[in-house]
Amino acid sequence: MSRRRATSGAIQGDMVLVCGLICATQLVGLAGAATGQAWAIGPFDRFLGVLPNANYVGLLCAPGILLGAHIVHTRGRRAAVLPVVGILILAVALVLSGSRGALLAVAAGALALLLFPASRRPELLLPARGAVLGLQWVARAREGRLRTSVRGHGAGAWRGVSRVLHTRGK
């Protein structure tokens, strides 16, 4: 299995599959919204599709759009008709959802795709991972949970369980 994933053709095929599944999910939701189904439109007339929250629509659409852009770039213009249609479907769903965070994510991802050549893009992941870990560390420090996470995941939960068990007997 790990050897299968090492080939660029298998990775490209997996990217196409994931992008296609995201597009299909949003297409079902857009069809529901177009026919006036109550489940497809949420509060404040935001597009929900098949998801319970409009921001989840953005959570799927943002990486789907960027993945589709990468597929279009690597496949060439002749084989890019379906990915372009998929990008348009996802863009419509994203705009109708009103998810501002996803719009910013698409803008930042598009900027990275345009500014950095394909050979240097994997290097972008290291600072991004460091930033995410740093933000998690700061958030835990602000909540006073830093010591728990340093000792090991779940240490605070076990402390809470033991408190509950000890108070039951009293």
Side-chain angles (χ1 to χ4, degrees), residues 48-91:
L48 298 178
V50 296
L51 301 167
N53 189 323
N55 289 325
Y56 294 162
V57 173
L59 184 69
L60 276 178
C61 288
I65 289 171
L66 296 172
L67 193 58
H70 174 74
I71 292 168
V72 167
H73 177 69
T74 57
R75 279 190 162 189
R77 292 178 190 230
R78 291 188 119 190
V81 173
L82 258 150
V84 168
V85 170
I87 290 171
L88 292 176
I89 290 169
L90 294 176

Side-chain angles (χ1 to χ4, degrees), residues 92-105:
V92 168
L94 179 62
V95 170
L96 290 177
S97 76
S99 178
R100 296 180 305 265
L103 285 170
L104 288 173

